[in-house]
Amino acid sequence: MSKPKVWVSRPFFPDIVDRLREHFDVRAEAEDRPFSPAELTERLADADAAIVGLVDRIDADALAKAPKLRFVANLGVGYNNLDLDALTARGVGASNTPDVLNETVADYAWALMLAAARRVGEAERWLRDGQWKGSRFEGWLGADVHGKTIGILGMGRIGQAIARRAMGFRAKVIYHNRSRLDAAIEQECAATYVDKATLLAQADHLILVLPFTPANRHTIGEAELRAMKPTATLTNIARGGIVDDAALARALADGVIASAALDVFEGEPQVHPDLLKLGNIVLSPHIASASRDTRRDMASLAVDNVLAAFGHGPHAGRPPTILNPGVLADAS
């Protein structure tokens, strides 16, 4: 019998991809690029499984011409590129890669926030442009982070990891979440629950860590930005679309808030042109999880899910991070 076919939409760590080859006919892309809907349809047409990136939109249209598809493994925690309802209706399992990246993303959130607060990006560009002829005592004044109030919007595992790091800065942590954490977790994170209005008003440094849903689109818009301190910073490592990027650009240009740091954008890889014109913002290309160890762990978890979905490996029959486990029950 021929082996089932797996399409891997992004090149990654050959030794990890090779774990699939004993059980699957693997078609792995050699170039990291977005695919048009027609290209995506063509590649899924005879695939039994797929490992995809966040830019690969798997929806009802893509599934309509993929009759053999049984499982899709997403390389990321977020999965708004997957139409989970359509996948479930077709009996196609789906997975993501949670938890293995919590600490790495929390590290990067702090790196971005610190860079925005202390104007690292602006200062480096100024130096590289040959502007450093001397230093003024009142030049390049940024904002302290130690002893200040860190606000976290979205207090899942990554938010909690960010909060734990605040202890070393002797910073106060306040958070808002869809539901309040257990008291034991609040104590572990030294975090205080507040409503959203209080979070916006009191945070010196606001970090966004909530998932993207249609209801969360533009959670931070013009009104929310105006509710923040004019000295505040905003850091988004969550998902593009949670922040109204056009409103943020206006707020930064007008001094409504002091600075911002973004790793995610609406419509990425496109970036709102008004953001690119600003000095008081740090921009990075969706790389918060991009440490070698963590990206290898994410890739391994995606492969584990595919193997398990087809009855192989240590999790055989039980993909460890399946998003719609009901499809397994329906198939049994």
Side-chain angles (χ1 to χ4, degrees):
M1 289 182 63
S2 61
K3 295 178 180 178
K5 297 180 180 180
V6 177
W7 176 54
V8 181
S9 77
R10 295 288 177 272
F12 63 82
F13 312 111
D15 60 313
I16 295 176
V17 174
D18 285 347
R19 292 174 49 210
L20 294 165
R21 298 190 189 280
E22 179 182 355
H23 304 288
F24 299 93
D25 178 5
V26 179
R27 179 182 181 183
E29 297 291 337
E31 182 183 359
D32 198 330
R33 67 177 182 86
F35 297 94
S36 69
E39 289 174 321
L40 198 60
T41 297
E42 182 270 328
R43 282 161 171 78
L44 291 173
D46 64 348
D48 297 276
I51 298 177
V52 301
L54 298 176
V55 298
D56 301 314
R57 175 68 181 165
I58 310 297
D59 56 16
D61 290 340
L63 293 171
K65 297 182 180 179
K68 296 172 59 183
L69 194 65
R70 289 173 50 191
F71 200 85
V72 176
N74 215 41
L75 281 168
V77 177
Y79 51 91
N80 46 295
N81 58 311
L82 305 183
D83 185 334
L84 197 58
D85 290 339
L87 285 160
T88 302
R90 275 281 312 277
V92 178
S95 65
N96 63 342
T97 59
D99 296 336
V100 294
L101 48 67
N102 295 345
E103 300 298 330
T104 295
V105 173
D107 283 350
Y108 198 73
W110 273 87
L112 284 180
M113 184 260 286
L114 286 164
R118 296 301 304 273
R119 304 175 64 185
V120 172
E122 293 177 83
E124 183 186 10
R125 290 189 293 272
W126 183 78
L127 182 151
R128 287 179 180 274
D129 287 343
Q131 301 292 328
W132 192 16
K133 310 300 182 184
S135 297
R136 292 188 303 109
F137 184 71
E138 292 184 349
W140 293 110
L141 300 180
D144 281 330
V145 175
H146 68 273
K148 299 297 183 180
T149 298
I150 309 298
I152 301 174
L153 184 55
M155 198 65 162
R157 292 183 177 90
I158 295 173
Q160 292 166 34
I162 291 169
R164 289 194 298 271
R165 283 156 175 76
M167 297 177 194
F169 286 78
R170 301 191 309 278
K172 175 183 178 181
V173 175
I174 58 176
Y175 78 95
H176 182 71
N177 205 40
R178 183 173 55 183
S179 55
R180 185 170 180 173
L181 300 177
D182 291 341
I185 298 176
E186 287 188 343
Q187 184 174 7
E188 177 190 348
C189 297
T192 301
Y193 179 82
V194 296
D195 59 31
K196 184 180 174 184
T198 301
L199 184 82
L200 295 171
Q202 293 187 2
D204 295 301
H205 305 286
L206 178 62
I207 304 176
L208 309 180
V209 207
L210 63 167
F212 180 85
T213 66
N216 283 345
R217 183 174 182 270
H218 290 182
T219 291
I220 302 296
E222 183 174 357
E224 289 77 16
L225 291 162
R226 291 194 175 279
M228 295 172 65
K229 297 179 179 181
T231 53
T233 73
L234 172 71
T235 300
N236 185 11
I237 56 153
R239 278 289 181 271
I242 289 173
V243 175
D244 181 339
D245 286 353
L248 176 61
R250 292 192 298 270
L252 291 168
D254 295 342
V256 174
I257 63 171
S259 59
L262 305 180
D263 186 49
V264 290
F265 306 88
E266 291 190 272
E268 59 185 52
Q270 301 302 312
V271 178
H272 195 290
D274 290 347
L275 293 174
L276 297 172
K277 300 173 185 176
L278 297 166
N280 56 339
I281 189 168
V282 179
L283 306 172
S284 70
H286 205 147
I287 58 171
S289 65
S291 76
R292 177 170 297 276
D293 289 346
T294 291
R295 286 286 170 91
R296 285 185 63 85
D297 288 345
M298 292 169 68
S300 291
L301 182 53
V303 166
D304 285 345
N305 276 294
V306 172
L307 288 169
F310 287 78
H312 308 297
H315 306 283
R318 298 170 281 104
T321 56
I322 190 169
L323 295 164
N324 52 354
V327 301
L328 298 181
D330 294 340
S332 61

